[in-house]
Amino acid sequence: MNKKITYSFEYEWYPTEKDLPAEDRALLQAARQALKTAYAPYSRFRVGAAVLLEDGRIITGSNQENAAYPMCLCAERVALAAVESEAPNTRVIAMAITVSNEKTSVQQPAAPCGACRQVISEKEQRQHAAMKIILQGETGPVLLLPSGRNLLPFPFGGELLS
Ligand code: THU
């Protein structure tokens, strides 16, 4: 007999970043700073990510494009790769992501692409703990998700490879 299974999760919605807890606001601010380091001459769409480590350090990443378009690196994966090279095996408590578009003002949160969701999910698996996800456009509402898993309920799992 088949079963119907519901997937649901709770997340927080804040009308502006002013209403966020100070630690989350600071992380979002670091992500906004990281926008400046984006190399996005092709899309003109900048993405900044900042991760808070368990020891309080903040590591950032930004999107890095290439004339060979598929080589483009997303900000979220740049940030997580930087964590493993700068602070190997350190737990990531939270990731803030923000975007800007040269052609228009982005007033809504942008969620990470599928590939980044997969990488976030594997980091959560490795560290046996959830990573809070904080999303905001240039301005406007902020979404606070308790875990990257909320964005990717059925990740591909490395356990299948053993
Ligand atoms: N991008 C990111 O950095 N993160 C995402 O999750 C989605 C897309 C970048 C890649 C490319 O440089 C630009 O945004 C437009 O797709």
Side-chain angles (χ1 to χ4, degrees):
M1 203 186 77
N2 67 322
K3 286 195 275 183
K4 287 213 193 314
I5 299 165
T6 305
Y7 171 76
S8 67
F9 67 97
E10 282 189 358
Y11 63 94
E12 292 174 53
W13 181 95
Y14 292 86
T16 72
E17 74 274 9
K18 288 188 211 87
D19 308 298
L20 279 175
E23 193 179 69
D24 297 335
R25 203 167 55 237
L27 198 61
L28 203 46
Q29 194 50 39
R32 218 177 296 291
Q33 279 289 112
L35 288 175
K36 295 182 188 152
T37 67
Y39 174 62
Y42 305 105
S43 70
R44 308 260 169 208
F45 187 80
R46 291 167 177 261
V47 185
V51 295
L52 173 66
L53 303 184
E54 60 188 330
D55 59 15
R57 269 185 291 173
I58 289 178
I59 288 188
T60 62
S62 56
N63 56 328
Q64 302 297 322
E65 298 188 347
N66 191 279
Y69 292 175
M71 302 296 103
C72 292
L73 302 172
C74 290
E76 298 88 330
R77 277 177 287 158
V78 169
L80 289 178
V83 169
E84 295 317 318
S85 47
E86 293 294 318
N89 300 316
T90 311
R91 193 152 66 94
V92 170
I93 308 285
M95 175 186 280
I97 304 162
T98 187
V99 298
S100 78
N101 184 337
E102 251 176 50
K103 292 157 244 163
T104 179
S105 156
V106 185
Q107 315 225 358
Q108 69 198 58
C113 77
C116 290
R117 294 177 194 206
Q118 176 69 25
V119 172
I120 291 168
S121 160
E122 186 149 329
K123 177 63 178 169
E124 287 187 332
Q125 265 183 337
R126 282 175 73 184
Q127 68 181 15
H128 305 293
M131 182 190 312
K132 191 162 69 173
I133 307 288
I134 304 159
L135 305 172
Q136 191 190 31
E138 283 169 70
T139 56
V142 182
L143 300 186
L144 212 150
L145 281 59
S147 165
R149 264 308 271 276
N150 300 143
L151 292 166
L152 190 66
F154 294 96
F156 179 72
E159 71 279 0
L160 300 172
L161 303 176
S162 55

